[in-house]
Amino acid sequence: MDLDTLLSFKWSVMAPEFIILGVATLLSVIDLFMKKESSRKPLAWLAGAGVLGALAAIFMQLDTEVTSILYDTYRLDSFSKAFKILLLLGTLLVLVLAASYKKEDIEENRGEFYYLLLSALLGAMMMASSADLITLFVGLELLSLASYIMAGLERRNKRSNESAFKYVVSGGIATAITLFGMSYVFGLTGETNLFLIAQNMQDPELLKHGFLLMFAFLITFAGLTFKIAAAPLHMWAPDVYEGAPVPVTAFLSVVSKTAGFVILLRFIIITFIAAPGIDSESLLLEVQPYVMILAAATMIIGNVTALRQRNIKRMFAYSSIAQAGYILVPFVSNSSLLFELIWFYLLAYLFMNIGAFTIIQVLTAQEKSNDISIFRGLFKRSPWLAVPMTFFLLSLAGIPITAGFVGKFGIFMGALGLEPAHYWLAAVMMATTLVSYVYYFNVIAVMFFRDGEGAKVAVPSGLAAVLAFCAVSTVILGVMPDLALDFFYGNFDINEFFMNIEAVDTHTHDH
C-alpha cells in the first residue's frame, strides 16, 4: 500500500480509537518514568480524560454517514457508534472505581492497570467497527489478553493468581474454537470481509455444503459465547469475578460482556443472514433450537446456582451469567427490534451492575470480606448505600419502575411478538426471573432486617458520584425509557448495519 493510498483514507472516522491509543501509550511512558513511591492516581484522571475525549469524538460523529476505510475492514456506522457509547461510558465509570480502589498488593501494579484497561477498551471498540474476520479477531484478542493480565494484578493473592490462570486456559480454548469456526467460514466463502462473506453465502454452490455451514455456525457461536459467559463456557466467570480486583470484575461484567454481544451481532448476523440452511432457505431459522437451548440453559444455570452463593462476588458472577441468558433471547426471536432490545438492556445493565459493584467495593474494603454478611444492618449504618443498592437489586431482578424491568419486558414481549411465538422460552425466562428474586431479595433482607455491628461506611467522593449517577439513571430509565429509546432512534439507523450485503464496492467506500 503506497503513501498516496494511505493518505486517501478518511482517518478522522477513527478519531475515538486514536485518542484511546494515544492516551494508553502516553500512560505507559509516564508510568515508566514515575518514581515507584509516587501516587498513580493522576494516571487515572488522565485515562478518564482520554475516555471522555473519545466519547466526545463519538458524539461529534453521530451525523457522519456510513464510512469505511482500509478496504472495508474498518467501518463507522450506526451500529458501531451506538455500542461504542456503551463501551466508553462503562470504562469511564470503572476508571472512577479503580482510582478509589485501595489494596496494598496492587499499588505497585496500579500504573499498568490503567493502560491495560484502555488497551482492552481499544480492542472492544475495534470489534464494534470491524467488517473483516481478521480485524475482528485482532480486536477480540487485544481485549482478551489485557483482561487476562488485569484479572491477575494482585500478584500476592492466590485467588487472583488462580482466577487469572483459569481465565487464560479457558479463554485460550474458546479462542481456538472460535478460530476453528471462522476458518470454515473463510474456507467455504473464500473471503474475510463480512459483507463479501454474506454476499457469497447466496452462491447456489453453497447449497451443497449446508452441513458444513451449520457446523461453522455452531462452532463459532459456541466459541464466542465464552466472552458473554453463557453456558456451557461459563465456568470461568465465578472464579475470575471472585479473584480479580473489584474494578476489574466490574469491567468484565459490563464492558467485556457488551463487547461479547457486539462481536456476536457483528459476525453472526451479518455473516449468516443470507446463509442457506440444510432443509430450508435460512440457516438462522434452522439454528434457532440450538440458540434457544443455550439461552434457556444459561438462564437456569445462572439463577439456580446463584441461590447457594454466600460470596457476594460469586453471586454476582452467576447473576451475570443469567443476564447473558436473557440477552440471548432476542437472538432466538430475530425480531426487527433485535438491536434496540439488546442495546437498551445493556445500557440498563451497565448502570445497575456498576452501581452495585461500587457499593461492593466500598463494603469489601471496609469489612475485609466478600461474604454477604457485610450487608448486615446496612440500612441502619449507611442508608445512603442501602437505598441505592436496593434499587440496583430490584432492577437486576426486573421489578417495575426500574430500567431492568423495561429491558426484560421488551425482551419478553419480543419472544412472544413474532410467529411462531416462543412460549416455552418466555416461560423459562419468567420462571428463572422469579428464582432470581430469592437471592436478590435475600441481600435486601440482610440490609434492612438483620442487625449488624460496624461503623458507618465512608464513601469517597468519586465513588459517591458514580453511585448517584447510576442510581438516578436506573430509576429514570425505568420511569422514562423513551429518553434512551428516542436518543437511539434519533441518532442511529440500524438499517445501515445491513447495507452492502448484496453488493460491496470497497473502492467506492475507501475513497
Side-chain angles (χ1 to χ4, degrees), residues 220-279:
T220 311
F221 194 87
L224 292 176
T225 53
F226 169 84
K227 263 290 162 237
I228 61 173
L233 297 176
H234 67 282
M235 290 308 297
W236 62 273
D239 292 323
V240 174
Y241 279 40
E242 181 183 6
V246 177
V248 177
T249 305
F251 178 83
L252 294 176
S253 71
V254 174
V255 181
S256 184
K257 189 179 290 289
T258 299
F261 281 104
V262 164
I263 194 172
L264 277 174
L265 288 167
R266 260 290 181 203
F267 178 68
I268 297 297
I269 303 299
I270 290 181
T271 305
F272 291 98
I273 191 169
I278 298 174
D279 299 316

Side-chain angles (χ1 to χ4, degrees), residues 22 27 97 186 235 292 319 331 448:
L27 288 174
L97 265 66
F186 171 69
M235 290 308 297
M292 207 180 299
S319 164
F331 283 91
F448 285 85

Side-chain angles (χ1 to χ4, degrees), residues 138-192:
V138 169
L140 175 64
E141 284 308 286
L142 182 57
L143 169 65
S144 299
L145 293 172
S147 300
Y148 299 155
I149 301 170
M150 288 192 296
L153 273 181
E154 295 181 9
R155 292 187 295 188
R156 297 187 184 91
N157 184 340
K158 290 184 178 179
R159 284 197 178 278
S160 184
N161 297 339
E162 179 188 351
S163 71
F165 178 75
K166 288 181 177 178
Y167 197 14
V168 170
V169 172
S170 54
I173 295 170
T175 298
I177 294 171
T178 303
L179 204 54
F180 184 57
M182 286 182 173
S183 70
Y184 267 84
V185 173
F186 171 69
L188 288 166
T189 61
E191 297 288 348
T192 59

Side-chain angles (χ1 to χ4, degrees), residues 69 86-87 96 108 134 146 148 250 263 288 300 345 348 355 376 411 413 434 454 462 469 506 508 510:
I69 61 174
L86 298 185
L87 296 169
V96 181
E108 60 189 86
I134 297 172
Y148 299 155
I263 194 172
Q288 273 188 351
I300 293 169
Y345 197 89
R376 290 178 70 93
I411 290 173
M413 294 308 295
L434 291 174
F469 176 67
T506 56
T508 300
D510 286 337

Side-chain angles (χ1 to χ4, degrees), residues 372-422:
I372 290 178
S373 60
I374 61 176
F375 287 92
R376 290 178 70 93
L378 185 63
F379 180 68
K380 293 181 180 178
R381 288 187 289 150
S382 304
W384 55 86
L385 287 181
V387 172
M389 188 67 178
T390 301
F391 280 117
F392 299 139
L393 291 169
L394 292 177
S395 186
L396 285 163
I399 300 297
I401 320 180
T402 61
F405 169 77
V406 177
K408 276 186 184 173
F409 182 76
I411 290 173
F412 181 80
M413 294 308 295
L416 297 177
L418 293 179
E419 292 295 336
H422 302 286

